[in-house]
Structures are given as C-alpha cells and as structure tokens.
Amino acid sequence: MSSFAPLSKGDGSNDAAQYTKFDAADAEFFKGIGTIPYKPDAGPTETLVYKHYNAKEVVRGKTMEEWLRFSVCFWHTFRGTGADPFGFPTLVRPWDDGSNTMENAKRRLRAGFEFFTKLGVKYWTFHDRDIAPEGETLAETNKNLDEITDLALELQKKTGVKLLWATCNLFAHPRYMNGAASNPDAHILAYAGAQVKKGLEIAKKLGAENFVFWGGREGYHTILNTNVLTELTNMANFFRMAADYKKKIGFTGTLLIEPKPKEPTKHQYDYDAMTVIGFLKHFKLENEFKLNIEPNHTTLAGHGYEHDIVMASAFGLLGSVDSNTGSPDLGWDTDQFPMDVKNATLVMKTIIEQNGLQPGGLNFDCKVRRESTALADMFISHIGAMDTFARGLRNAAKILEEGVMTKHVKKYIMDNGNPTACSGQQEHCEAMLNYYV
Ligand code: XUL
Ligand code: CO
C-alpha cells in the first residue's frame, strides 16, 4: 500500500476526461484482451492463453476449478503502484487518477470485475481499505464501505465472481504503528475492534467464504519495551471477541490467521504455522480458527516452500493458501507469482490428500514486478501461475494414483521396523518426484 499517486504523464493529458470516460456503464478497461482461452497446443510465445488450466476438466473426481479455487487479490493487482522504498510509482492504470475519491474507488472496482471475468477466476479478496477510502471519522469510513460494498455486491451478482475472503487492514495507518490487537493503548485496541466489527459485517453482506487476520504490526522490534505475554493474551482476547461477533451476526465464513515471521515488525507473533497452532491450542481457540498459509512467509521463516502447508494440514488446520513465492536468495517478501512446478506439485499433493481447500482457495497474493508496466502483464502473470498450479494438480494426482511414492514410505516402515542404521533414501525419493514434475 502506498501513498504515492500513479504517474502523471506530465504532458497535460492527465485531465479528468481521461478517467471519467471509464465511468460509462459500457466502459471497457482492458481493451484488446478478451476472455482467456484454453489452448493446450499453444507455443512458448503465446502467454495470453491457458496451456494447462482447463477449468472444467475432471481430475480425481473434481474439476480443476473446484480443486484450485483461484482468487485475485485486490491490493496488489488494483492498488499496487510499483512504488518501492527506493523509487516512485511505475504502474500507470488508465482508469486510476490516484485520488482518494469514491469515484476512483468505483472505477477500480469495476476494472477489477472485468479482469476477474476475462481471466475466468471465480474469487477475489480484499482489505477493507483497498476498496474504500478512509474518511475523517470511523462513521464516514464505514459509510464509504457501505456504498462501495453495494457496488461490489451488484458486480458479484452480475459476474458470478464470489468473495473468497475479506480482511481488515490493521497495519498501514499510523494509529497502528505499535500494533492493533496487541497495542498497549486500549483506545487503539478499541478502534481495531470497531474496524473488525465492520469488516465482519461487510464480509457477511458479500457472502465471504472466509475472513483473514494477518497481524502485520503484532510483534516487536525490541523486547526492551515489550511485555510479550500481555500482548499475546490481548491478541487472544481480540480473536475470541471476533469469533463471538461472527456467531452473533450469523456470519458463516471460516476465520483464518496468516502466519509471517517478520516484516514489517522484526519479530511477528504469528511466526509460522506451528507457532500459530501452538498459540491457538494454548488459548483454546483451535476450534474457531484455521490458517491461511503464504509460502513466501514460510520461506522467510527459514522453512522449505511447502512446510507450513504440510504442517497446517497435518493438524487439520489448513484453511486457505496465499499462493505466491519469494526468491529464496533474498530475505524479504517479494510476493512473486508462483511459477515453480515442483513446488506447486508438493502443495497440490497435500491439498488433494486433505480432499481440497474449500471453503478456502488459492489466492494470488502476488504483484507484478514494478518493471512489468503493461496492462497485459497483469493477465500474463496470473495465467502463468494458474498454469503452474494446473500442472501441479495433474502431477500430484498422478503421484497419488500410481501410489509408488506413498507406498514407498509405508513399505519402508514395514521393512525397516528395527531401528538399525538404514538408508533414508532421500535421493531415491527425489528422483521419483522428478519423474512426475
Ligand atoms: C502481507 C500479506 C497480507 C495478507 C493480508 O505480507 O500477506 O497481504 O495476506 O493482510
Ligand atoms: Co498474504
């Protein structure tokens, strides 16, 4: 999220008419790009087609669409500007005038639904502050949210696109610099509570299938000014109140916590899957929450790509996936589109083994590189990732169908029950996996 406005061309052409033409009911935002077709025989240079993702193809009793439940995130794809700590925005979106107005917010939303529809993705996700501008008071902010979610509901009905999850941005505003649920100032904690109350209400209104908590500022930079047990207890109480309010209003979506070890705080309380599972069990919240796992966060925690997905699933708590990747050679959250077939295969194997993610899905919490400035790049990036996961699904289905790899683990245990030194056969297992990817 950035306060930088999109680039002005600086040639006087950025006048109001340039944007207001997108207010027309029949305005098309992505001219020249139609619905993305499935074309399995396409060559390497054709990147605006699906070569592997065939939505209605049945794999192990479910369609690809049902297994994969792809979702586009609104924050990166419609609020990302390409700004980074060293540079100004690079991404010009012709409908976005960079203003904090409701008109601009509505244009972005309508551009979003055209994008989801042309891509053929059935779900979207957002933070409250991505979709509607924050007002001077909470009442004004909530009024903006009411108006925008009326439009979102209308667009959802018209397109059939559904809300995978909503979340509250409890980290960008300066009021949250010392945390939201874990903030030592009760006034701020109360503000966060009021924000989540509204968040759950709009989630219900839009039929969200889940609701996510990512604790961006819940953690510490130095232990010297922090009472960790008080903060963790306050967080648990906050989560309990959210779970109670969910029941009170009859919202049926699953509540999800998204682990991340660091960034923006030096140490985040929701460090990784096992930390969150331990927290939930300690505070007796494990029946109210599941986990939303983002592999870029997993690798930042020093684990292998699929580790948190496997751990959360093993405890019956894998709710959804923020499907992305980092660069393992970097130490920060690059939110890249997942393009590694082997990683996708391992993730999909776990997902098939737990019989799917529903009501969760694969949400692309990913951003195009700031150098990828063309509108077509928004499509190409998602298509590439969807094809990667379609291949992962096919590979994982084959692994499970043939059973060679799973039988190998079972047979090994039977044949080697006696705990004497014997080969773990890692290389043999790796060679078998490579046969499938
Ligand atoms: C931050 C992150 C968030 C959450 C939602 O790293 O992943 O976008 O997914 O707040
Ligand atoms: Co995420």
Side-chain angles (χ1 to χ4, degrees), residues 364-385:
F364 292 119
D365 189 351
C366 314
K367 58 186 179 211
V368 291
R369 299 305 86 191
R370 72 192 296 268
E371 303 82 5
S372 300
T373 54
L375 289 190
D377 296 326
M378 294 168 69
F379 283 88
I380 292 167
S381 53
H382 283 86
I383 294 167

Side-chain angles (χ1 to χ4, degrees), residues 319-336:
S320 201
V321 175
D322 265 6
S323 189
N324 71 1
T325 190
S327 288
D329 45 351
L330 296 177
W332 66 90
D333 193 12
T334 54
D335 283 333
Q336 287 167 241

Side-chain angles (χ1 to χ4, degrees), residues 79 100-102 105-106 126-150 167-170 173 175-176 191-192 194-199 201-202 205:
R79 300 306 311 273
N100 205 25
T101 58
M102 289 294 282
K106 287 180 186 174
F126 64 79
H127 298 85
D128 46 3
R129 304 301 181 246
D130 304 333
I131 56 168
E134 191 153 356
E136 290 294 315
T137 60
L138 186 65
E140 196 187 315
T141 304
N142 287 351
K143 191 172 153 286
N144 290 347
L145 271 173
D146 288 338
E147 197 177 323
I148 284 290
T149 50
D150 282 348
T167 186
C168 287
N169 184 327
L170 299 171
H173 194 282
R175 79 172 69 86
Y176 295 128
Y191 201 103
Q195 190 175 330
V196 168
K197 176 177 181 289
K198 184 68 181 177
E201 288 163 5
I202 61 168
K205 171 175 171 181

Side-chain angles (χ1 to χ4, degrees), residues 132-435:
E134 191 153 356
E136 290 294 315
T137 60
L138 186 65
E140 196 187 315
T141 304
N142 287 351
K143 191 172 153 286
N144 290 347
L145 271 173
D146 288 338
E147 197 177 323
I148 284 290
T149 50
D150 282 348
L151 176 62
L153 194 57
E154 185 188 315
L155 292 167
Q156 286 189 176
K157 280 189 186 143
K158 196 170 129 196
T159 59
V161 172
K162 294 186 275 186
L163 184 56
L164 186 67
W165 51 260
T167 186
C168 287
N169 184 327
L170 299 171
F171 47 89
H173 194 282
R175 79 172 69 86
Y176 295 128
M177 67 180 177
N178 291 312
S182 65
N183 199 302
D185 182 342
H187 198 153
I188 293 168
L189 175 82
Y191 201 103
Q195 190 175 330
V196 168
K197 176 177 181 289
K198 184 68 181 177
L200 288 166
E201 288 163 5
I202 61 168
K204 182 180 181 222
K205 171 175 171 181
L206 295 175
E209 299 191 15
N210 306 271
F211 189 90
V212 165
F213 293 85
W214 171 62
R217 306 275 171 193
E218 318 293 13
Y220 61 80
H221 288 295
T222 169
I223 207 70
L224 299 177
N225 63 10
T226 309
N227 183 334
V228 293
L229 187 58
T230 303
E231 296 199 350
L232 283 164
T233 307
N234 287 346
M235 267 173 69
N237 288 337
F238 189 87
F239 284 136
R240 195 163 290 112
M241 284 189 276
D244 287 348
Y245 192 65
K246 164 189 144 160
K247 285 178 200 150
K248 186 174 170 190
I249 62 172
F251 170 53
T252 53
T254 307
L255 302 181
L256 303 170
I257 296 179
E258 183 175 326
K260 187 175 183 181
K262 56 186 169 186
E263 198 193 342
T265 65
K266 177 178 133 143
H267 175 87
Q268 306 223 165
Y269 290 134
D270 299 329
Y271 195 91
D272 62 1
M274 283 312 289
T275 308
V276 175
I277 291 169
F279 168 88
L280 290 175
K281 289 194 184 280
H282 179 81
F283 288 102
K284 303 199 174 16
L285 288 163
E286 73 267 33
N287 296 326
E288 313 290 352
F289 288 83
K290 287 190 169 184
L291 274 63
N292 181 40
I293 300 296
E294 179 168 322
N296 195 167
H297 298 173
T298 307
T299 51
L300 281 178
H303 305 305
Y305 186 89
E306 71 285 358
H307 174 84
D308 274 352
I309 286 174
V310 171
M311 296 310 267
S313 183
F315 284 84
L317 290 172
L318 177 65
S320 201
V321 175
D322 265 6
S323 189
N324 71 1
T325 190
S327 288
D329 45 351
L330 296 177
W332 66 90
D333 193 12
T334 54
D335 283 333
Q336 287 167 241
F337 283 86
M339 295 292 279
D340 184 301
V341 178
K342 194 186 277 189
N343 284 341
T345 302
L346 292 170
V347 170
M348 289 316 300
K349 181 171 169 287
T350 301
I351 291 175
I352 297 177
E353 281 167 343
Q354 68 161 43
N355 196 27
L357 277 175
Q358 63 286 342
L362 296 176
N363 173 51
F364 292 119
D365 189 351
C366 314
K367 58 186 179 211
V368 291
R369 299 305 86 191
R370 72 192 296 268
E371 303 82 5
S372 300
T373 54
L375 289 190
D377 296 326
M378 294 168 69
F379 283 88
I380 292 167
S381 53
H382 283 86
I383 294 167
M386 289 163 73
D387 263 352
T388 300
F389 269 81
R391 288 174 71 182
L393 172 64
R394 284 209 181 101
N395 290 344
K398 194 157 181 244
I399 289 174
L400 293 168
E401 241 146 62
E402 296 190 359
V404 186
M405 293 192 68
T406 33
K407 244 185 257 148
H408 176 81
V409 177
K410 283 193 190 136
K411 184 176 177 307
Y412 176 83
I413 291 162
M414 280 194 296
D415 291 355
N416 299 278
N418 217 4
T420 49
C422 53
S423 172
Q425 301 186 5
Q426 178 173 333
E427 297 78 4
H428 180 63
C429 293
E430 286 168 350
M432 284 199 288
L433 176 62
N434 275 2
Y435 172 86

